[in-house]
Amino acid sequence: MPHLNFKKTTKTLVGLSLGSLFMLGCASTLPLKDGTPSQQVSVNAVTPAGIGATIGTIHLEDSQAGLVLHTQLSQLPAGPHGFHIHEVGSCAPASKDGKMGAALAAGSHFNPNKAPNHGTPLTGHLGDLPLLNVQADGTAQVTLVAPRLKLADVQGRAIMIHAGGDNYSDSPKALGGGGDRIACGVIQ
């Protein structure tokens, strides 16, 4: 029977285990145990000055009901917030009408089907998500479903949280009245 160096074998196993964990942490899309595609997205506060601190994560996974979003967010203003997939995978500020705006580089709502109006997750732009409700303590730990989306549809796009609520209409204000972009994550 060959002689094993216990210390050397243990160090090798620990190194391989840590290396595997590191590689898992770097991967953007990992299947669940049943093979379902899933991804974790880091979400950061955004301002016209740039991308700020991380405020949590959103875990995305496919299901028969559509794209499931599990939010683990904090440091947000309490109340309802517009929540959307935007067309470009960037959270950088950009200029509009000569004024810098938070995460404007993400472009408009994801709308490949050219829906004429903003609407509910069943009727409007494909990027229109269910309303995100934030608790009084600034946290949002909820599970939402976007019935018309799959993870493959949103790859390379941004997920956005707006300052105000969303009435799923373009009246009285455009795009549901959500207003400024306050948090953003890139779906890679």
Side-chain angles (χ1 to χ4, degrees), residues 35-165:
T36 302
S38 81
Q39 180 175 353
Q40 186 141 314
V41 178
S42 290
V43 177
N44 293 72
V46 293
T47 68
I51 300 169
T54 300
I55 62 162
T57 60
I58 299 172
H59 183 85
L60 308 172
E61 66 185 62
D62 284 336
S63 78
Q64 289 184 347
L67 183 65
V68 179
L69 302 96
H70 303 282
T71 68
Q72 292 291 320
L73 302 167
S74 63
Q75 303 172 46
L76 291 166
H81 294 273
F83 194 36
H84 309 101
I85 302 294
H86 283 246
E87 56 193 357
V88 180
S90 175
C91 294
S95 179
K96 182 178 180 181
D97 301 326
K99 184 178 175 186
M100 291 301 286
L104 289 181
S108 299
H109 293 180
F110 177 53
N111 188 18
N113 297 341
K114 308 290 185 225
N117 299 303
H118 172 67
T120 72
L122 292 174
T123 64
H125 306 142
L126 279 181
D128 293 337
L129 300 175
L131 200 62
L132 180 68
N133 286 300
V134 177
Q135 300 299 309
D137 66 357
T139 63
Q141 297 177 1
V142 297
T143 298
L144 305 167
V145 177
R148 298 184 297 159
L149 290 174
K150 294 289 182 202
L151 186 57
D153 299 329
V154 299
Q155 294 293 293
R157 307 199 185 285
I159 191 163
M160 194 74 61
I161 300 169
H162 293 266

